[in-house]
Amino acid sequence: MDNLIYFDYAATTPVKPEAVQAMAEALGRFGNPSSRYAWGREAAQRVKEDRETVAKAFGCSPSELFFTSCGTEGDNWAIRRGAEANRRKGKHIVTTAIEHAAVLETCRDLERQGYEVTYLKPDRAGRIAVEQLAAALRPDTALVSMMLVNNETGAILPVADCVKAVRAVDPSVLFHCDAVQGFLKTPEPLVKLGADLVAISGHKVGSPKGVGALYIKKGVRLSPLLTGGGQEGGLRSGTEATAQIAAFAAAVRANVADAGRLERAAAIKEYTLEKLKAALPRLEVISAGDAPHICAVTLPGYKSEVIVRVLGDRGVCVSSGSACHKGKPSHVFAAMNLPRPWLDGALRLSFSPDSAREEADALVCALKDAADSLFTTMS
Ligand code: PLP
């Protein structure tokens, strides 16, 4: 279907033209960066430059940034190997109940291997307080994993303050942050969080799927998740995905060059929320989102998966929660203790700096029509 009205940019983003071009060029120059002849050396040089680009946007040294296949891989690597690195300390992990499945399922797997995991509960706004984390730390805590931007509410968690609080109690605890929804979506470079390990993903910022990166702070010793030919400084084996990496770097450059992107995303989100509230008196805002690109609303009494389907039939794309939930009620909204009708009717809307007001108007119109027609069938 062409001409989609797309408000699901937290699920994935369109590939930027600059990324398409960089990818096509890299596909044409197909050398393996490990090969010793000129084509290989050229490919290695390009990966080096691409790493410098992404590292600069992150705020770290290129030697601290390791390309991965996705955010999920970065989260798995950081949590599994981070917990293992500190196993002499203990087998306790602290995370939050509102993490992405990439973190939660990894923690559950570690529970099956004998780890104990504390899941911090958010308040009704989806926020976690520094004091909650401080109170959960134990002498045997090996690792903390806390996301920066929640993918369903847009809430920004106080990661930098939490890092400081953890360091004050016990500097040997490793701190991992899933910043997949935060990279290039928050004003400060992510290195300033002070975390030891930070996972990011390309397809949330205009690169194709299949590439991400893990920041490993200098001095932090993390063993590889993937062993083999010793690429990425011996820490992440597997022939480098040169074309995806080139596209990732090009998308990062395009984002960085667009200085007004955060303000524009925030402005179109605010515009949409105002229009929605005016058009649909039953609509409640679950979270206006601290991050510029995500908010969550609900139509109590409706079923979000039905609304998403009806909107989808009209070419309007929104999400009933994280794209990874596949129709199951959102664990994030459930952890926020929303009343059942709010939970059932919850929708996530997510924006691009380039989302147009006409698209927002079309979304509002389609949602109003959907709600009206479903209300008739319900009553
Ligand atoms: N973490 C968060 C907060 C996400 O929103 C996502 C994807 O939606 C991921 C991790 C997983 O990233 P990827 O799709 O690159 O594996």
Side-chain angles (χ1 to χ4, degrees), residues 10-12 69-75 98-103 147-152 178-182 199-204 209-212 294 322-324 348:
T12 198
S69 63
C70 57
T72 300
E73 182 189 328
D75 287 336
I98 56 171
E99 299 294 316
H100 187 271
V103 168
M147 71 197 326
L148 179 59
V149 174
N150 183 270
N151 47 305
E152 298 190 38
D178 172 343
V180 166
Q181 295 289 353
I200 58 176
S201 176
H203 75 102
K204 310 292 185 184
K209 295 152 195 63
V211 64
I294 303 178
S322 154
C324 307
R348 175 186 71 184

Side-chain angles (χ1 to χ4, degrees), residues 135-151:
L137 294 174
R138 306 191 323 208
D140 63 341
T141 304
L143 178 100
V144 171
S145 179
M146 179 182 277
M147 71 197 326
L148 179 59
V149 174
N150 183 270
N151 47 305

Side-chain angles (χ1 to χ4, degrees), residues 39-77:
W39 283 0
R41 287 198 305 272
E42 270 170 32
Q45 177 61 24
R46 282 196 304 274
V47 171
K48 178 173 177 281
E49 287 165 16
D50 294 337
R51 191 186 315 280
E52 285 164 2
T53 299
V54 181
K56 191 166 176 219
F58 190 97
C60 68
S61 153
S63 63
E64 297 173 301
L65 195 100
F66 300 84
F67 287 117
T68 59
S69 63
C70 57
T72 300
E73 182 189 328
D75 287 336
N76 267 265
W77 183 8

